Amino acid sequence: MKRWPIFFLLILVFALHFFRLSDIPPGLSNDEAANGYEAFSLYRTGADQWGNRFPLMLKGFGDDRLPMYSYLSIPFVAAFGLNAIAVRLLSVVSGIGLVFAMYLLGAVLVSERAGIIAAVLLSVTPWFFGMTRIAMETPLALLFTLFFVLAFYRSSSHPVYYILSILAALLSMFTYHGSRLFVPLIGILLLADRIRGIGIRHVFAPFRHRKALGILTLAAAVMGVVLLGYTVFVDGGITRLQQVGITNDPTILDRQNMIRSACASALPSTFCRIIGNEYVGYAVQFLMNFMHHFSLDFLSLNPDQAKGLLPLVGFFPLIVILLAGYGALCIFSTQGYHQLKVLVLGWLLFAPISDSLTGVGQYSRAFVLIPPIILLSAVGFSWILQIYRKLSYVVWGMIAVQTMMFFSLYFTYFPVYHAKFTHDEYRLVLDYVKRLSPDTYSNVYVSRRFFDSKQYMFYLYYFQIDPRWYQQPGSKDWHTESNGWIKVDRVGNWYFMDGLPGVREVPDKSLFIGSQAEEILPKVNSHELCTKFRVDLVSQFYFPDGGKAFGMAQSNFQENVPKECL
């Protein structure tokens, strides 16, 4: 089959991703701003925002994030500056790579036609499109994971690909925390299946004749294990799980206590202690979370679980889920497709584990679920093309209609009505302050009472604060909370507070930034004209849909009360 369709598709995918990349999604999330500023800091100083030189783990907000996205974003930041396009370009490139990798995987496991169909279906999947337009690590980690799988399959005939598969696996595991559990499980499954098929002697036979290759492969594996072990057990690699894991959910303990109390009045105490045990509660919650990943509600029907990512649609078009179901029926009811069966079953079994340890399903952590569903959908569609030719036109029509509806919503409705979920308020207010002369204000006080989203990072990003200065002692005040999260309370003359201070507690000409209705307007109205301590309204900021964002006011001390007040 000619390959021009896949290259045409890649060009189209790039064009759609690059279109209005700087302003859709509007604003940036705190993770996007952090990934961008870390790249900016590494480019300028060779250190992260906290001054750690070439770290294997970024201290970040106290969540010990992995550094690969920021490292690989350095060329884009160096070329285009610190802006939304530069920060998101790596994710766009990852998206193009994912489309091509899905084509290759489909071609290897099924057929050339199935590979092209898989690439097309992935390209029009809302979940894929939304995630690969924001600066998040998961698309990049998934791309490395697919390269790892493809290299492993290739290694059966070219042993040098063992090294490439190990390197791809390590890159994935140094990109996203979830890969550290998922990738080794997939690797063990694939290796075990190969050993079962041809025997362990044949698996390692090539290394007996090419000892240098065997030593190099072993060295790469050992080096990876050592580095991974260091970052996990020494450099705080499990901090993130401790912060967001289900063991931090107090409702689970409350539920178990209620179960134990209700049980005690009717059943033996030993049995009640078992079913009311906290670890039983965690196990039950994990299983409930795991199963939720395969519900239609999660995969397709719930448009409210991805606010700020997708507009009024689920992760997958319903037709893709139906095709996946038909594809599963086709391959598991016939002989053949052994590699595909092993990979799909293993992937579906292992992919939700990391996310299930934290909740019922989060669009970034569960993103790794996409490949097996797309592969099954491609198989199902391929069979329809072969057996039910006329029905395939209906399927194409349904895919086309859902795709046009999604893109029209994404480029029109989404930037207007989802700006409040993508922290566009910080772009609005910080761009305004940047236009002010520094001589017109003294200190700036930003309230996190209603907008607790790591405000200091937005200040660093939008003002492009010099990392060399920020890394110096005295440039900032910060503290670590009991759960490990870091809160920065001051950067220079900018203060980030749980609530705005009183006007008598701040220097003259101080700026107050906070919620319009709850914080700024009451502060302005409570200090009338006839007082030495005035607060003047500077500006009010609104989301594109007219919703209230931040307000800004300024202290104005008067030596004398105006004559009209006497």
Side-chain angles (χ1 to χ4, degrees), residues 414-430:
F414 179 68
V416 175
Y417 293 97
H418 278 240
K420 64 186 68 176
F421 304 116
T422 57
H423 296 307
D424 194 38
E425 67 273 12
Y426 288 100
R427 180 188 62 82
L428 297 171
V429 70
L430 291 172

Side-chain angles (χ1 to χ4, degrees), residues 29 40 81 91 102 136 146 172 194 265 271 377 390 424 499 501:
S29 69
F40 183 62
S91 200
M102 284 302 302
M136 298 292 283
L146 290 181
S172 179
R194 179 171 292 178
S265 61
F271 178 77
S377 302
K390 291 183 179 180
D424 194 38

Side-chain angles (χ1 to χ4, degrees), residues 164-202:
L164 297 179
S165 68
I166 291 172
L167 293 178
L170 290 174
L171 287 171
S172 179
M173 290 187 283
F174 276 96
T175 301
Y176 189 65
H177 285 292
S179 295
R180 299 183 164 198
L181 178 61
F182 175 72
V183 170
L185 290 174
I186 284 291
I188 292 170
L189 174 69
L190 295 179
L191 183 59
D193 182 61
R194 179 171 292 178
I195 292 173
R196 185 201 64 81
I198 64 175
I200 192 169
R201 290 173 59 86
H202 288 85

Side-chain angles (χ1 to χ4, degrees), residues 63-103:
D63 51 352
D64 290 331
R65 58 184 58 224
L66 291 168
M68 194 58 63
Y69 191 97
S70 293
Y71 277 124
L72 295 184
S73 291
I74 290 175
F76 301 112
V77 172
F80 303 109
L82 184 59
N83 54 58
I85 290 180
V87 172
R88 291 170 173 168
L89 261 179
L90 179 58
S91 200
V92 171
V93 172
S94 300
I96 297 169
L98 283 171
V99 172
F100 189 64
M102 284 302 302
Y103 158 72

Side-chain angles (χ1 to χ4, degrees), residues 38 55 59 98 100 107 148 344 352 378 412 427 464 476 545 559:
E38 295 286 13
K59 188 175 180 180
L98 283 171
F100 189 64
F148 155 66
V344 164
T412 58
R427 180 188 62 82
Q464 301 191 12
K476 57 188 174 295
D545 65 350
E559 291 296 330

